[in-house]
């Protein structure tokens, strides 16, 4: 199969752990924030490509609960970058009929940034062409803890479906494919409940270097996977 051609089977939901911005900058003797800036451009390119080729759900891991523990200077530059970029990017999504959802606790974010995000979520609510789910101040353990506490508050045992409905992804299917750039083979607290049967692809490419050609290669690798979900192939 030629890897520059789109395979027939595409993931309905693709999730990206967008890692490697800092190292991309370091290689070029640039400050880390230059890597984040380039990373945002890549996010725009890749997210648009995913919807253009027919995927319905795209999740991007943009900021983890643990990323808050980075130096204040870096956290602030990430917020500033989102503030600068989100209005245009989220507006573009809206124009393209894409619904925006957020998973994570954005109450920690600066008010002006929160407002941009909340407005994009509210105004894209009825969009049906696809869903862009942005993980912001997201951690799977935090997500599960919230769900468990909500269940305990409910005062009775819950079903698996009810547990799913208490997660941030209540109306989003589990990811079919999780792609992590940057060379690390770990999930770093990302979608730990939802990833039960996700295919995982780890690539050494640093996030800012991910391009459409490589995305197609990844999709071809995914299409070759034999997804059995614990069953036996008939
Ligand atoms: C991913 O790139 C972006 C965020 C976590 C916000 P990194 O900043 O983790 O880049 P590396 O891993 O240091 O190269
Ligand atoms: C994962 O990358 C989080 C995001 C891409 C937003 P990290 O750089 O935070 O992960 P670790 O520290 O290498 O596990
Ligand atoms: Mg990293």
């Amino acid at each position: 199969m030629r890897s520059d051609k789109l395979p027939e089977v595409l993931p309905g939901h693709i999730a990206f752990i967008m890692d490697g911005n800092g190292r991309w900058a370091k290689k070029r003797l640039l400050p880390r924030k230059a890597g984040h800036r380039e990373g945002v451009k890549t996010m725009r390119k890749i997210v648009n490509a995913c919807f253009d080729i027919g995927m319905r759900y795209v999740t991007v891991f943009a900021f983890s609960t643990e990323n808050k523990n980075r130096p204040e200077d870096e956290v602030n530059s990430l917020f500033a970058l989102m503030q600068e970029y989100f209005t245009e990017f989220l507006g573009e999504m809206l124009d393209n009929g894409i619904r925006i959802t957020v998973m994570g606790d954005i109450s920690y974010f600066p008010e002006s940034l929160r407002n941009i995000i909340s407005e994009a979520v509210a105004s894209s609510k009825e969009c049906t062409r696809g869903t862009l789910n942005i993980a912001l101040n997201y951690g799977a353990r935090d997500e599960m803890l919230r769900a468990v506490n909500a269940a305990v508050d409910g005062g009775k045992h819950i079903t698996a479906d009810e547990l799913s409905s208490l997660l941030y992804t209540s109306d989003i299917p589990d990811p079919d494919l999780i792609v992590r750039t940057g060379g690390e083979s770990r999930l770093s607290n990302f979608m730990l409940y939802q990833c039960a049967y996700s295919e995982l692809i780890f690539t050494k490419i640093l996030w800012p270097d991910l391009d459409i050609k490589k995305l197609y290669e990844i999709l071809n690798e995914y299409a070759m996977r034999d997804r059995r979900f614990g069953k036996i192939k008939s």
Side-chain angles (χ1 to χ4, degrees):
M1 188 189 295
R2 278 179 52 190
S3 62
D4 56 348
K5 285 260 185 297
L6 258 190
E8 267 170 41
V9 184
L10 290 173
H13 181 181
I14 189 168
F16 293 99
I17 301 175
M18 309 186 289
D19 195 26
N21 293 349
R23 278 162 287 161
W24 183 92
K26 193 172 177 200
K27 260 172 60 181
R28 289 161 180 78
L29 306 175
L30 294 168
R32 289 180 59 85
K33 67 176 178 197
H36 294 312
R37 184 171 285 279
E38 202 59 29
V40 168
K41 288 189 202 157
T42 300
M43 175 174 76
R44 182 178 186 173
K45 191 171 63 190
I46 296 293
V47 165
N48 273 311
C50 287
F51 289 124
D52 286 348
I53 60 185
M55 282 183 259
R56 301 277 299 159
Y57 293 89
V58 180
T59 293
V60 286
F61 197 9
F63 191 85
S64 76
T65 44
E66 289 73 28
N67 291 151
K68 287 201 290 291
N69 304 325
R70 292 189 178 192
E72 203 183 332
D73 181 41
E74 173 151 351
V75 172
N76 285 340
S77 70
L78 279 164
F79 288 161
L81 191 61
M82 290 183 215
Q83 173 93 37
E84 176 189 330
Y85 199 78
F86 269 13
T87 308
E88 194 187 326
F89 174 57
L90 300 181
E92 179 182 37
M93 290 293 115
L94 188 62
D95 290 346
N96 290 338
I98 305 297
R99 178 174 70 123
I100 312 283
T101 57
V102 167
M103 60 175 188
D105 178 11
I106 63 164
S107 64
Y108 161 81
F109 281 25
E111 194 187 352
S112 49
L113 180 54
R114 261 184 357 242
N115 290 343
I116 294 175
I117 296 167
S118 307
E119 216 177 287
V121 169
S123 48
S124 67
K125 236 166 60 197
E126 310 292 330
C127 293
T128 55
R129 186 174 156 237
T131 297
L132 172 63
N133 180 39
I134 312 177
L136 292 168
N137 194 18
Y138 170 81
R141 289 184 170 183
D142 176 61
E143 177 183 37
M144 285 193 252
L145 197 60
R146 284 163 194 269
V148 168
N149 283 332
V152 168
D153 287 348
K156 60 172 180 61
H157 285 183
I158 57 168
T159 64
D161 283 347
E162 283 164 343
L163 177 56
S164 292
S165 76
L166 293 173
L167 300 176
Y168 287 123
T169 47
S170 55
D171 64 346
I172 294 176
D174 290 344
D176 298 294
L177 171 61
I178 298 176
V179 178
R180 180 172 184 144
T181 58
E184 313 294 355
S185 302
R186 58 174 171 256
L187 291 171
S188 302
N189 203 9
F190 183 64
M191 300 190 99
L192 300 184
Y193 186 78
Q194 299 88 337
C195 76
Y197 273 101
S198 304
E199 295 299 322
L200 307 177
I201 294 184
F202 298 102
T203 168
K204 286 196 168 58
I205 296 210
L206 302 174
W207 174 256
D209 288 329
L210 187 67
D211 59 14
I212 307 296
K213 183 170 179 287
K214 182 64 194 173
L215 174 68
Y216 278 31
E217 281 171 25
I218 288 169
L219 293 173
N220 276 286
E221 186 177 335
Y222 169 80
M224 305 284 284
R225 298 279 175 95
D226 188 8
R227 303 188 76 194
R228 291 187 293 277
F229 300 96
K231 299 171 191 160
I232 297 173
K233 260 283 156 74
S234 50

